[in-house]
Amino acid sequence: MSTAFLFILLLSSLVVQAAPDSLSPATADKLPKNPVEVWTGYDPTAEPLEVKVVREWDVTSNGHPVKLQLLTFKVGTFKGKDSRIAAYYAYPTDSKGRIPGLVQVHGGGQSASKEAVLGDAGLGYASISINWGGRDLADQKPGELGTDWGLVDPTQKHVSHYFVLTPDDKTTESIYHPRNNNWFLLALATRRALTFLEQQPVVDPNRLGVYGHSMGGKITTMAAGVDPRIKASVPSCGGSGVTPPEILKRSGSAREERSRDKLFLETIEEMATVDLIKKPILYMGPHNDFHGLVDDLCANWKRIPDPSQVFFSITPHFNHRNGPSSENARIAFFDAILKEEGTFPSTPKLGVELKTADGVPLATVRPDAVDSVESVQVFYSINPNARTRFWRSAETTRDGEAWKARLPLLDTSLPLFVMANVEYKGSGKTSPILVSSWIETFEPAALKSAGVQATDKTSRIIQANFDNWNDWFRLGWDNPAHRSAGTRKLTDPKWRGPDGAALAIDVLDPDGGSLNMTFEVNKWQPYADVPQGSYSASAPLAKSTDWQTVTFQLSDLKPKDAKTPATINSWQGITDLGIAASVPGQQGHWADKRKLRNLRWVGGNYTSPVLFPGGTLSREAMEQLFQENIDESLQVEANE
């Protein structure tokens, strides 16, 4: 037998053994025009998963025996090589009959969550968390199987391809095509995780849900639109879509245009995908999320065909995290849809009357399930920048089965934004649950036409007492060394600092120590011609059971990093005001016994024009701030 014949025989053998690609060949003359066409011809159940269990444990969660596994499965074959993904999978072993299944999708900078699947299993779900980011998991030993995307890469190592469709050596196609975008492969991996669930003996394949945070929220929204197996979905802090043109044009929004690629916007971006969502979807996110902006959310999600299937749970004042009552809402939502346990309240009806006798707008909230309502809160603002906006709490009173709130404005040349939160009595550990309304937006022309008047006044008192922290966001509150509280009240003209004023606060602390404050200036660049920077100030506290006053001048503020200008010339432009246990150069301790009151401006005059939003945010600046906020969010989680 000749050497040439042996070579041909070997080559033929290799060709036979090579697995076909999971995607049909792409051609430049037949590009898909919408999400349906992008996925046409792809069947997420067609290929074997080739599941490999790396390790498993028998554990307990919420009083239930649970089987926990670390495993990998095949996502698909791309450019002739397999892509495999690692995951944690857990299910209760004492369930009676088949149970619902959940896919959990992690966010940027994160990895598959063992805690998430154990929590879900303890609540009666089979749950899988996919490790799409490719980071090593804590339970992986050196050399063990993990995520291996092969010849493609949709992870953050391939960061260039979240908003483009062009080919490179890490994309599935060699031509310009929607399947080159990272989000496509991440949605595909999520769909394969659904296939894994529906093949498990304990899972009811007709009761599947998906939830994810941040980048995982975007993936969740995409999957909810294109995979009919999903009966309920809960994206968190992602999935709101790119900023629509009407908001990009709004003066003071300081919004960036993430992509000008028309085909990307019409095929991959979730603005196109939400048109296809037909099953219940609950959005979880905070007022001031840097990634899932609430203005974009409410503008884009109006495209969902059936508004009765749309629900919100918006935590006040936070950025990129949710409060406990929102987490409770996710559990109650899945229980109601996938287990048919109870009912989930419909989205509260919010109406705003602009034409009133005294020119003050009046909000009316009509919540579902009135007998189960614990509280109703109306929030409003005139700040067009969603990331820096301070949402004022309006004084709300009950009127039969409705709640009403007057909305006095300090200025009518800016848009008015109004939304409502309703807290309901839950059951057991899921009480209370937070359900939110759509945001109602009124442009200045509408305010003028209705005769709305500027009746509100400025206030030197920023916070009279700290019996509650309703206007603040608190982080690390259980850790006295990392405890902090922040507010965006200074972005509201009502509480802006006068020229030449000092900032004062009264403190009572028997242990003494130091009072530390932080000041973010022009973060997300809402203001034109104001240098961006991060400052801190620290003052000693005597050990005393008497109140003592701490006063800060502008000259007391020190830069927190080398990028920040050495001095700050005005209190205007501060977007975040914070009180913290520690600041750079001053490691402190904020004990429970410390009391605060009368945060206020002292002296100075309101002589300069009030600074209103009017800045712009470049794409480059946005990308840098975006990554800094991801890092900051991960650090906060580590400190708690």
Side-chain angles (χ1 to χ4, degrees):
M1 187 178 294
S2 69
T3 302
F5 180 78
L6 285 172
F7 176 77
I8 293 171
L9 186 63
L10 176 61
L11 185 61
S12 300
S13 173
L14 289 173
V15 171
V16 170
Q17 292 175 9
D21 269 18
S22 302
L23 303 173
S24 58
T27 58
D29 61 344
K30 200 173 182 181
L31 290 175
K33 301 181 182 65
N34 54 57
V36 173
E37 292 183 6
V38 169
W39 293 96
T40 296
Y42 175 73
D43 181 357
T45 68
E47 294 180 88
L49 289 166
E50 299 177 16
V51 178
K52 297 179 181 179
V53 177
V54 179
R55 188 169 296 105
E56 63 181 15
W57 305 263
D58 292 307
V59 297
T60 300
S61 177
N62 196 29
H64 295 275
V66 168
K67 177 71 73 176
L68 171 66
Q69 295 178 333
L70 171 62
L71 54 82
T72 69
F73 64 83
K74 180 180 173 181
V75 175
T77 302
F78 309 102
K79 298 196 288 193
K81 186 171 182 180
D82 285 356
S83 291
R84 296 186 63 83
I85 197 167
Y88 282 113
Y89 171 59
Y91 61 92
T93 56
D94 62 349
S95 58
K96 303 292 190 294
R98 292 195 164 197
I99 59 177
L102 296 175
V103 178
Q104 190 269 348
V105 191
H106 71 73
Q110 299 177 328
S111 55
S113 174
K114 178 168 63 176
E115 293 75 16
V117 299
L118 287 174
D120 292 341
L123 295 171
Y125 294 88
S127 180
I128 185 168
S129 177
I130 56 174
N131 195 40
W132 64 261
R135 290 170 172 78
D136 288 342
L137 299 173
D139 294 301
Q140 275 182 255
K141 295 180 180 178
E144 282 188 333
L145 294 172
T147 296
D148 181 358
W149 283 101
L151 296 178
V152 295
D153 186 2
T155 74
Q156 288 173 286
K157 294 178 182 177
H158 190 219
V159 72
S160 61
H161 272 64
Y162 287 109
F163 293 96
V164 300
L165 310 180
T166 51
D168 70 9
D169 61 339
K170 297 296 183 181
T171 61
T172 63
E173 314 302 332
S174 59
I175 61 170
Y176 172 85
H177 198 282
R179 296 194 310 218
N180 289 329
N181 188 269
N182 288 351
W183 298 115
F184 171 77
L185 279 178
L186 297 176
L188 188 150
T190 302
R191 299 187 70 184
R192 291 287 280 168
L194 289 164
T195 299
F196 171 88
L197 284 177
E198 66 179 356
Q199 292 181 3
Q200 302 310 303
V202 300
V203 175
D204 181 346
N206 296 311
R207 293 189 288 159
L208 301 181
V210 179
Y211 70 102
H213 179 70
S214 190
M215 294 174 73
K218 184 182 180 81
I219 298 164
T220 296
T221 305
M222 288 181 64
V226 300
D227 201 311
R229 296 173 295 176
I230 298 173
K231 300 303 188 292
S233 56
V234 183
S236 162
C237 299
S240 59
V242 298
T243 303
E246 63 269 24
I247 297 178
L248 283 172
K249 295 174 184 176
R250 181 179 291 149
S251 177
S253 67
R255 302 297 271 283
E256 69 289 341
E257 191 173 18
R258 299 299 301 273
S259 176
R260 297 184 180 92
D261 189 316
K262 186 171 182 288
L263 189 61
F264 165 77
L265 296 174
E266 293 177 348
T267 57
I268 296 295
E269 215 284 323
E270 61 262 45
M271 273 200 306
T273 308
V274 295
D275 292 344
L276 306 174
I277 294 175
K278 296 181 174 62
K279 299 297 182 181
I281 183 167
L282 166 68
Y283 184 88
M284 291 169 51
H287 271 158
N288 300 96
D289 195 67
F290 74 89
H291 182 228
L293 282 77
V294 290
D295 292 359
D296 299 350
L297 171 73
C298 287
N300 292 329
W301 278 33
K302 287 180 180 177
R303 297 171 58 163
I304 295 177
D306 184 357
S308 70
Q309 303 290 337
V310 180
F311 304 84
F312 305 102
S313 186
I314 308 298
T315 300
H317 308 307
F318 272 18
N319 173 19
H320 216 55
R321 57 200 296 113
N322 301 293
S325 55
S326 280
E327 296 292 349
N328 291 340
R330 175 180 64 83
I331 296 169
F333 181 76
F334 279 138
D335 285 351
I337 307 301
L338 300 181
K339 292 183 179 180
E340 297 184 347
E341 294 180 357
T343 58
F344 194 81
S346 62
T347 300
K349 295 180 174 64
L350 171 65
V352 180
E353 184 181 355
L354 297 182
K355 284 190 174 183
T356 61
D358 58 2
V360 176
L362 178 68
T364 301
V365 185
R366 300 185 185 279
D368 186 23
V370 172
D371 291 342
S372 297
V373 170
E374 285 197 346
S375 66
V376 176
Q377 184 62 67
V378 173
F379 295 94
Y380 72 107
S381 179
I382 57 172
N383 184 347
N385 188 297
R387 290 180 173 120
T388 65
R389 179 180 300 152
F390 175 66
W391 287 92
R392 287 199 207 181
S393 298
E395 185 176 341
T396 307
T397 57
R398 184 169 182 174
D399 182 8
E401 295 194 346
W403 279 255
K404 297 180 181 293
R406 287 163 49 84
L407 314 175
L409 304 183
L410 194 141
D411 192 277
T412 58
S413 66
L414 293 168
L416 171 63
F417 305 87
V418 189
M419 59 89 63
N421 275 351
V422 180
E423 281 201 336
Y424 288 92
K425 301 169 188 173
S427 59
K429 294 182 179 180
T430 59
S431 184
I433 64 172
L434 176 64
V435 182
S436 304
S437 72
W438 292 85
I439 294 175
E440 298 294 331
T441 303
F442 303 93
E443 299 296 342
L447 302 179
K448 181 179 180 180
S449 175
V452 174
Q453 300 297 310
T455 60
D456 199 17
K457 306 295 182 184
T458 57
S459 173
R460 288 179 173 270
I461 300 295
I462 302 169
Q463 187 88 11
N465 65 71
F466 290 81
D467 294 340
N468 68 65
W469 294 84
N470 293 343
D471 290 343
W472 300 66
F473 54 93
R474 295 184 292 171
L475 303 173
W477 210 246
D478 294 331
N479 187 337
H482 293 285
R483 181 176 293 178
S484 67
T487 185
R488 298 179 184 85
K489 289 183 82 167
L490 300 193
T491 67
D492 190 316
K494 183 178 182 69
W495 291 285
R496 291 280 173 78
D499 295 338
L503 180 65
I505 186 171
D506 298 335
V507 186
L508 189 155
D509 192 332
D511 294 335
S514 61
L515 178 76
N516 303 311
M517 300 194 72
T518 59
F519 308 82
E520 295 293 329
V521 178
N522 207 22
K523 190 171 185 178
W524 298 106
Q525 299 177 16
Y527 305 120
D529 303 321
V530 176
Q532 185 179 350
S534 297
Y535 297 86
S536 64
S538 183
L541 292 174
K543 293 183 179 181
S544 176
T545 56
D546 295 327
W547 289 96
Q548 50 192 305
T549 297
V550 174
T551 302
F552 292 115
Q553 306 287 342
L554 279 170
S555 58
D556 295 319
L557 276 59
K558 308 301 179 186
K560 291 171 64 178
D561 54 52
K563 298 180 295 183
T564 295
T567 59
I568 177 173
N569 299 318
S570 172
W571 294 109
Q572 295 202 49
I574 294 174
T575 44
D576 293 69
L577 174 68
I579 305 171
S582 303
V583 293
Q586 183 64 57
Q587 183 66 38
H589 186 86
W590 184 350
D592 291 338
K593 62 183 73 173
R594 176 176 292 181
K595 295 181 180 180
L596 306 170
R597 71 181 185 190
N598 293 334
L599 178 62
R600 62 199 184 275
W601 298 115
V602 177
N605 298 290
Y606 290 97
T607 54
S608 299
V610 173
L611 184 66
F612 284 140
T616 58
L617 183 65
S618 69
R619 192 177 305 182
E620 294 75 19
M622 186 282 304
E623 289 174 354
Q624 179 180 345
L625 285 163
F626 190 92
Q627 187 58 52
E628 288 175 357
N629 272 259
I630 290 177
D631 296 341
E632 181 181 316
S633 180
L634 294 174
Q635 185 59 52
V636 167
E637 290 179 13
N639 289 339
E640 290 184 332

